[in-house]
Amino acid sequence: MRSICRSISLLIVFFLASCSSEGVGPDGSGLEGSWRLYEWGYSPGAGYTVEAVAAKPLQSLTFTGQGELSKQGDRLSGVFDVPYYRVDSSQTGLRLRLLKNPQDTSGISTDLRLEGNRMRISPPCVEGCH
């Protein structure tokens, strides 16, 4: 169970810093551009761990204006192995939806917060994560 929580957290819990974020995504969110993973947090079963991510090798997500998503780096495997995204508004803020194809109506949904040149993706997790 501990390794499952850690693996899930490794795959979907990210704090990303902008490498370049010019333009606006297809959803008007300002996501378009490349974002570097610099920190992630997870619960290994007891307590809470926050780890810095080195700049090299690069771990990044790139969002295009056409709703396409690409990743670079092995820490972004799993949930980010999908080629498309959409941003939805909800009563609690923005939701990033990761999609298998552009017509997908469900996908994986995560909380999304944009603050200046930082993006925080917070998926639902059992034991806490960011």
Side-chain angles (χ1 to χ4, degrees):
M1 180 66 168
R2 186 176 188 180
S3 66
I4 291 172
C5 281
R6 182 174 172 91
S7 295
I8 290 171
S9 295
L10 279 169
L11 298 175
I12 58 178
V13 182
F14 301 100
F15 220 138
L16 300 167
S18 172
C19 295
S20 66
S21 60
E22 300 180 16
V24 177
D27 44 52
S29 67
L31 259 207
E32 187 176 332
S34 293
W35 299 77
R36 181 179 72 85
L37 173 66
Y38 74 93
E39 178 183 274
W40 60 281
Y42 63 94
S43 175
Y48 194 77
T49 301
V50 176
E51 293 183 9
V53 175
K56 292 184 181 179
L58 181 62
Q59 310 289 317
S60 68
L61 292 174
T62 299
F63 297 87
T64 72
Q66 292 74 42
E68 296 170 342
L69 172 64
S70 62
K71 67 177 176 77
Q72 179 175 344
D74 59 350
R75 286 208 176 187
L76 296 166
S77 295
V79 72
F80 291 106
D81 288 340
V82 297
Y84 300 97
Y85 77 96
R86 182 178 74 230
V87 175
D88 300 323
S89 294
S90 72
Q91 291 179 333
T92 58
L94 296 176
R95 301 285 299 172
L96 174 64
R97 195 167 301 271
L98 304 169
L99 310 167
K100 292 181 182 179
N101 62 63
Q103 294 77 33
D104 192 353
T105 57
S106 57
I108 299 166
S109 183
T110 69
D111 287 333
L112 172 67
R113 187 171 41 195
L114 297 170
E115 297 172 354
N117 69 346
R118 294 181 183 200
M119 171 175 42
R120 183 178 178 137
I121 299 173
S122 300
C125 16
V126 176
E127 297 191 23
C129 56
H130 81 272

